[in-house]
Amino acid sequence: MNNMETKHTVTSSKRVRKTSVHRRNLRIATWEGVPSTIFQVLLQGQFLTGFLLYLGATSSQIGFVLALTTLVNVMQIGVAFLIQKLPSRKWAMVTFIGLHRILWSSTGLIPFIFPKEYWVMAFIALYTTAFIANTAGGVLWSSVISDLVPARVRGRYFGIRNTFLNALGSLVMYGGGIVLDRYPGSHGFLILYIVVWIFAISNVVVFFFYPDVPFEKSEEHKFLPMFKKPLKDTLFMKSTLFLAAWLLLQNLTVPLYSYVMLQLLHINYETLSLLNVSQTLFMMASFYVWGNLNAKYSNKRLLFYTLPIIALSSLMWGLLSVLPMLLVLFAAHIVFGVGVGGFNQLAFNFIIGDTPKKERPMYMATYAALTGLSSFFGPLIGGQLYEKIAHWPHWTQVYGMQLVVGTLMIALAFLLGRRILKDE
């Protein structure tokens, strides 16, 4: 074998070895999502609302709890600076994500430990602490995954991963709904929490197998210069502030859909699960469509196209006045799934694809903080509004809020969104 052949063989061997390492890392990241999805699906959305109602929470308390997860995102700015000091991101990520999983799953122990009058406050305390830990874990995971997934396969990989995990989430959601209908009250929630505890522990274990990928750190070593980088990026800030305003409007009603359906429309958990499964299935299908469009058009342009779709889903609730309830709810959930699937995917691609790699943690944190603040006040205000209109005509509580919010979203999209989210 001559020198050229030897050199070619060595190069090919390195390429195969490098490729196999990438594939192994991506497999770990995908399989980690399995216990994480099962754990989170059974603790959020309709199950979170149902458990809070079981604990005795009011609509404003439910709105506050739903908003808490986004408020703590403000802390991501400090975390984005502090991770620059870490010799290794992996073990810090495992620690904070582990704390989040343990504390959140511990909310299932509240009825066994506290007197009934303290159930809601104990839940809020545990839930808040869990999501403070998740704030740090989320920044670290986003930073690691953006380095772990090569840019050339990023769109395809996240499309496949999201589709797979959302399919799993749909099955879990439907199964959880059946359990709560067959075993209402404490018995049903105990069954769900047993499953949660098993997969919360499994999820933490899988994180131990994550690779400790090299970290390309910011050129800035002080907090203020690092913090100012995204703030001085005019295009980034205009887009982020607009999306924050959009999420404020969207979250006035969307997080409280489960409250409206469970408390005001008296829909059972199985039907509610089917509604959410239909939303998830169409969201999954939309990943493929939005991903293909993203190969031709920019993230920002496609983000704009998702906005009228989301607004339309809110306006469709008004059809409850003339059409059968389930027909309208299924249609509204399907349209929302298509819109929000594109919005979430394209917003994530915008942050990890259109921002400087070395400064990405601070860009991510700034985006999360600003959108987190608006997403916090959204359900908080929404919950208060539902209490204020409790004595108004029934239709104003069931779909009146959605009509007002949908109209405001359409106006915001076409008056500001068209100008801000245009290609430069």
Side-chain angles (χ1 to χ4, degrees):
M1 186 181 288
N2 59 37
N3 287 341
M4 188 166 285
E5 288 175 327
T6 304
K7 199 174 290 183
H8 176 73
T9 304
V10 171
T11 304
S12 299
S13 174
K14 284 182 178 177
R15 190 180 296 119
V16 170
R17 192 157 52 245
K18 188 175 181 181
T19 302
S20 65
V21 169
H22 278 315
R23 286 180 178 171
R24 186 173 70 248
N25 290 344
L26 295 182
R27 269 199 299 271
I28 292 169
T30 301
W31 284 108
E32 172 271 314
V34 172
S36 177
T37 296
I38 295 170
F39 158 81
Q40 293 189 66
V41 164
L42 293 177
L43 286 182
Q44 61 188 11
Q46 68 200 51
F47 303 113
L48 174 59
T49 303
F51 189 59
L52 285 167
L53 288 171
Y54 165 70
L55 294 179
T58 63
S59 64
S60 61
Q61 286 174 324
I62 291 170
F64 179 70
V65 169
L66 294 173
L68 271 174
T69 56
T70 53
L71 176 64
V72 294
N73 282 342
V74 175
M75 297 172 60
Q76 288 193 17
I77 291 173
V79 176
F81 171 71
L82 293 174
I83 66 172
Q84 305 289 331
K85 311 295 182 184
L86 293 173
S88 163
R89 288 177 294 179
K90 175 182 174 176
W91 297 112
M93 178 181 73
V94 172
T95 300
F96 285 109
I97 288 177
L99 279 171
H100 168 253
R101 304 306 193 245
I102 291 166
L103 288 167
W104 195 7
S105 58
S106 295
T107 55
L109 299 173
I110 288 171
F112 301 101
I113 298 174
F114 297 96
K116 191 168 185 178
E117 60 268 26
Y118 298 118
W119 283 2
V120 175
M121 295 313 298
F123 183 94
I124 291 172
L126 271 175
Y127 190 79
T128 305
T129 311
F131 277 89
I132 288 172
N134 188 57
T135 298
V139 173
L140 288 158
W141 183 84
S142 298
S143 174
V144 169
I145 202 74
S146 65
D147 290 341
L148 194 65
V149 183
R152 67 182 182 278
V153 299
R154 194 171 283 152
R156 185 183 175 198
Y157 170 75
F158 282 115
I160 293 170
R161 185 180 190 270
N162 289 343
T163 302
F164 168 61
L165 294 179
N166 277 286
L168 173 64
S170 298
L171 292 173
V172 174
M173 190 183 300
Y174 182 63
I178 291 174
V179 168
L180 287 183
D181 277 337
R182 290 188 181 175
Y183 304 98
S186 59
H187 193 180
F189 284 114
L190 178 60
I191 294 170
L192 292 192
Y193 267 99
I194 288 171
V195 177
V196 163
W197 292 326
I198 291 168
F199 285 98
I201 294 167
S202 303
N203 190 213
V204 176
V205 170
V206 178
F207 271 108
F208 279 80
F209 295 94
Y210 255 70
D212 199 359
V213 290
F215 185 21
E216 201 170 326
K217 298 184 179 182
S218 171
E219 294 172 356
E220 302 291 348
H221 300 289
K222 293 183 178 179
F223 175 75
L224 278 178
M226 192 184 299
F227 177 56
K228 287 178 181 178
K229 282 280 180 80
L231 298 182
K232 290 179 178 178
D233 188 332
T234 307
L235 295 178
F236 169 78
M237 286 303 298
K238 279 170 61 179
S239 301
T240 298
L241 288 171
F242 170 78
L243 293 176
W246 176 266
L247 288 170
L248 174 65
L249 277 178
Q250 180 180 303
N251 284 295
L252 286 173
T253 55
V254 173
L256 292 160
Y257 281 176
S258 293
Y259 168 78
V260 172
M261 289 183 285
L262 286 170
Q263 197 77 346
L264 302 177
L265 295 177
H266 307 293
I267 290 174
N268 62 35
Y269 282 101
E270 185 174 350
T271 304
L272 187 53
S273 294
L274 283 172
L275 287 165
N276 286 320
V277 166
S278 67
Q279 176 181 307
T280 304
L281 288 174
F282 276 84
M283 183 169 67
M284 286 159 47
S286 78
F287 289 150
Y288 177 78
V289 177
W290 292 115
N292 282 343
L293 288 172
N294 205 190
K296 298 179 181 179
Y297 304 104
S298 71
N299 290 316
K300 289 206 295 184
R301 177 186 286 193
L302 291 176
L303 261 176
F304 169 73
Y305 292 151
T306 67
L307 305 184
I309 299 173
I310 294 171
L312 176 63
S313 72
S314 186
L315 291 170
M316 288 176 74
W317 280 71
L319 294 173
L320 286 170
S321 60
V322 293
L323 293 176
M325 179 179 70
L326 287 180
L327 176 65
V328 173
L329 292 179
F330 270 106
H333 277 73
I334 286 168
V335 173
F336 182 71
V338 173
V340 82
F343 183 92
N344 291 340
Q345 185 170 321
L346 292 160
F348 186 72
N349 289 347
F350 166 60
I351 297 301
I352 70 170
D354 296 359
T355 54
K357 185 177 180 181
K358 289 184 179 181
E359 310 301 330
R360 194 167 292 153
M362 188 56 77
Y363 271 79
M364 287 178 171
T366 303
Y367 175 85
L370 291 172
T371 56
L373 272 175
S374 64
S375 296
F376 167 75
F377 285 109
L380 195 63
I381 295 169
Q384 292 286 346
L385 287 173
Y386 273 109
E387 284 199 355
K388 296 286 186 187
I389 64 174
H391 303 294
W392 289 21
H394 190 251
W395 70 268
T396 61
Q397 302 169 59
V398 173
Y399 59 83
M401 282 271 289
Q402 287 88 318
L403 287 176
V404 172
V405 169
T407 303
L408 291 173
M409 286 197 289
I410 286 287
L412 182 64
F414 286 99
L415 292 176
L416 283 178
R418 190 187 302 184
R419 284 190 289 129
I420 292 172
L421 297 178
K422 65 181 180 180
D423 292 326
E424 298 299 328

